[in-house]
Amino acid sequence: MEQVPAKKEGRLTLVLGLATLIAAFGSSFQYGYNVAAINSPAQFMKTFYNKTYYERNNGYMDEFALTLLWSVSVSMFPFGGFVGSLMVGPLVNNFGRKGTLLFNNIFSIVPAVLMGCSKVAGSFEMIILSRLLVGICAGLSSNVVPMYLGELAPKNLRGGLGVVPQLFITIGILVAQIFGLRSLLASEEGWPILLGVTGVPAALQLLLLPFFPESPRYLLIQKKDEVAAQTALKRLRGWDDVGPEMEEIRQEDEAERAVGFVSVLKLFRMRSLRWQVISVIVLMGGQQLSGVNAIYYYADQIYLSAGVKENDVQYVTVGTGAVNVLMTVCAVFVVELLGRRFLLLLGFSVCFTACCVLTAALALQDTISWMPYVSIACIIAYVVGHALGPSPVPAVLITETFLQSSRPAAFMVGGSVHWLSNFTVGLIFPFVQVGLGAYSFVIFGVICLLTTIYTFLVVPETKAKTFIEINQIFTKMNKVSEVHREKEELEEFPPSPRGQ
């Protein structure tokens, strides 16, 4: 009998769609929300820090101590993100992808309660600890959600669903910007509520996600539970004949069996994964070091110098956030059409051009009257470029370019680079800005250009390919085709300690 389902294109079933939304809203949304939530009420929170200090010590903090305490509060988030990234491997291998997301809600609900109560308790230490905990939550979710969705999705939808976490990050940023308007929660009384809201998506995920399937790849390859994997696949695909896809997962399992579990150390030592690892480091570093956070940091000053009234800057910032969401929605729909490689090349090229023109516009700001408007156009162009490629695509590529045994370690490496780069930009940019002023964007422009060149020369197109097919492209690049023959020979014998 002819196997018609082998020809079937995977479709977005209700179960797959809801699992995607619940995972992304419960986890990725919070990452975006916590990135932006602390910006609007900064002044009120600093006043609270000083008031609390006064009540304890009968005197106010000096300016340096207050600035230091505030920068610690802000930078605890990316530091927590780095810690969370290091926890990815052990957690997803022991608890599964879905299990890790459920466990991760602890790192959101506990700090939400602490931040909400910090003012009543008169403790800024609670805020600093909470920022570390929500950072761990973001570090885990930014790695586990793309991995979970990438493993749930059929190959023809993997790119689109892989961009959904990034879409929810941008929605989280936008919601925090809206809630952070002075007319809403950015006030003396409102800021604890603004920070505490982050617990709501976590509570919803904790209630709803248990009803959805675990990753079939995890169930079959790591848990060796064929029945559970088959049941999960049937629910996700909406049809009963999942034989061809089960066969593809089995092939991946066989190709991997000789390798065994891959630790981060082993990942760096394996010649067969050399270009994949380099690509992850370059793309994740390029994503964060290309100045996306600095652009947001600089935007308010640029809007002010363009003649936007101080009270209206917050609304223009919300507008920029809305553009970011809109372009990420576009990325969801075009990533399968145009491909990952094209979106990366387009995105980084637009960011490079925007950085170059922005540098010139800022340098000429005081001499040519219409230059501030060019600066605003550059910020919007940069946000559009970053939202199309550099923001969403690297996480999709980590899922696609690594097989099951090495994927958790690859996400740990990618996540660590992401958060350390984020932390570095946050720490160093204010000093760079003082030293170089308008010319600080030259550095970001160079990073965008180098990442574009690397992508053009090295990164292959992965759309509509199975994990095995993508692995074979890299096998040729790594010049290790003989490894596969060796693995196939090993299959005939019981697993031996000789596995590399």
Side-chain angles (χ1 to χ4, degrees):
M1 196 181 98
E2 202 182 329
Q3 274 194 330
V4 182
K7 299 271 185 279
K8 272 187 182 178
E9 285 281 83
R11 62 174 195 262
L12 188 61
T13 57
L14 185 65
V15 172
L16 180 58
L18 287 174
T20 302
L21 289 176
I22 291 161
F25 177 64
S27 298
S28 307
F29 174 88
Q30 293 187 68
Y31 169 10
Y33 186 86
N34 286 302
V35 163
I38 201 165
N39 295 338
S40 316
Q43 220 39 59
F44 300 106
M45 290 174 74
K46 284 179 188 171
T47 307
F48 163 69
Y49 280 26
N50 226 336
K51 194 175 158 195
T52 307
Y53 186 85
Y54 181 82
E55 282 165 7
R56 292 179 194 172
N57 302 293
N58 278 331
Y60 290 111
M61 274 184 268
D62 60 44
E63 195 59 40
F64 176 78
L66 182 59
T67 307
L68 184 67
L69 201 57
W70 180 250
S71 67
V72 167
S73 306
V74 174
S75 56
M76 269 297 139
F77 181 73
F79 179 70
F82 172 64
V83 174
S85 294
L86 298 180
M87 295 161 65
V88 169
L91 286 177
V92 294
N93 287 324
N94 290 314
F95 295 160
R97 282 68 170 139
K98 184 179 91 169
T100 302
L101 288 178
L102 290 170
F103 171 75
N104 193 26
N105 289 314
I106 295 170
F107 297 113
S108 176
I109 292 169
V110 171
V113 172
L114 289 177
M115 287 192 284
C117 300
S118 57
K119 192 179 177 197
V120 179
S123 166
F124 51 73
E125 292 85 356
M126 282 164 75
I127 294 172
I128 293 169
L129 173 64
S130 301
R131 291 287 292 171
L132 176 70
L133 293 174
V134 290
I136 292 172
C137 172
L140 275 166
S141 69
S142 64
N143 292 299
V144 180
V145 178
M147 191 192 304
Y148 178 56
L149 299 184
E151 290 179 12
L152 291 190
K155 65 180 181 182
N156 59 307
L157 296 177
R158 208 168 49 223
L161 294 186
V163 175
V164 169
Q166 182 61 35
L167 172 61
F168 273 85
I169 290 172
T170 61
I171 292 171
I173 292 171
L174 180 61
V175 169
Q177 287 170 338
I178 293 168
F179 283 179
L181 291 171
R182 278 166 222 151
S183 53
L184 291 174
L185 292 175
S187 64
E188 194 74 53
E189 299 76 35
W191 67 259
I193 302 166
L194 179 68
L195 297 182
V197 165
T198 186
V200 176
L204 280 170
Q205 188 182 71
L206 208 51
L207 287 171
L208 299 173
L209 196 61
F211 298 105
F212 291 88
E214 177 55 272
S215 155
R217 280 187 142 70
Y218 170 77
L219 292 170
L220 185 62
I221 295 176
Q222 269 145 302
K223 302 298 280 184
K224 307 293 178 208
D225 191 338
E226 194 137 337
V227 177
Q230 204 157 13
T231 309
L233 259 183
K234 284 177 182 176
R235 282 190 67 200
L236 288 163
R237 297 295 173 262
W239 54 61
D240 281 344
D241 192 351
V242 291
E245 205 169 344
M246 286 289 286
E247 190 49 46
E248 187 231 310
I249 301 174
R250 275 191 212 100
Q251 279 174 10
E252 187 180 329
D253 187 21
E254 278 164 27
E256 293 280 81
R257 208 171 292 166
V259 181
F261 169 72
V262 177
S263 64
V264 171
L265 214 60
K266 194 171 177 182
L267 191 74
F268 280 106
R269 287 208 299 257
M270 285 172 73
R271 196 176 151 196
S272 59
L273 295 174
R274 184 174 298 162
W275 280 110
Q276 292 95 309
V277 173
I278 295 170
S279 297
V280 163
I281 292 169
V282 170
L283 291 175
M284 278 298 188
Q287 180 196 62
Q288 289 300 309
L289 299 174
S290 57
V292 64
N293 296 330
I295 284 275
Y296 278 111
Y297 184 94
Y298 220 85
D300 284 10
Q301 286 163 269
I302 290 170
Y303 295 145
L304 285 170
S305 61
V308 177
K309 292 191 182 75
E310 195 166 344
N311 205 37
D312 296 341
V313 165
Q314 53 178 344
Y315 300 109
V316 183
T317 307
V318 168
T320 314
V323 169
N324 198 359
V325 172
L326 199 65
M327 294 320 296
T328 311
V329 171
C330 292
V332 172
F333 292 103
V334 299
V335 68
E336 289 300 346
L337 196 67
L338 301 175
R340 290 65 156 147
R341 188 170 181 270
F342 178 79
L343 287 184
L344 282 174
L345 290 170
L346 176 69
F348 277 116
S349 304
V350 170
C351 292
F352 166 67
T353 310
C355 283
C356 294
V357 179
L358 183 59
T359 304
L362 290 172
L364 299 169
Q365 189 120 309
D366 300 328
T367 48
I368 302 172
S369 60
W370 45 266
M371 270 301 160
Y373 301 104
V374 176
S375 305
I376 290 181
C378 287
I379 288 180
I380 292 166
Y382 184 97
V383 168
V384 166
H386 214 277
L388 276 176
S391 283
V393 174
V396 176
L397 282 175
I398 299 178
T399 305
E400 293 186 328
T401 52
F402 290 87
L403 296 180
Q404 197 76 11
S405 65
S406 52
R407 197 173 289 132
F411 267 103
M412 285 170 75
V413 171
S416 302
V417 172
H418 172 105
W419 289 103
L420 284 175
S421 305
N422 188 325
F423 183 68
T424 307
V425 172
L427 214 59
I428 292 173
F429 179 70
F431 300 103
V432 173
Q433 192 198 351
V434 170
L436 295 176
Y439 297 98
S440 48
F441 287 100
V442 172
I443 299 169
F444 300 127
V446 169
I447 290 167
C448 290
L449 180 63
L450 292 174
T451 316
T452 309
I453 294 167
Y454 179 88
T455 304
F456 182 75
L457 295 175
V458 177
V459 178
E461 184 49 73
T462 57
K463 71 168 182 174
K465 291 183 172 71
T466 65
F467 291 134
I468 290 284
E469 287 165 351
I470 296 164
N471 192 254
Q472 282 161 357
I473 296 170
F474 277 102
T475 296
K476 290 193 185 86
M477 285 170 65
N478 291 314
K479 299 184 173 59
V480 285
S481 50
E482 74 280 358
V483 171
H484 282 285
R485 283 203 297 278
E486 184 191 321
K487 282 185 192 172
E488 280 160 20
E489 284 159 22
L490 281 169
E491 292 314 313
E492 294 166 25
F493 303 98
S496 73
R498 213 160 57 83
Q500 51 173 25

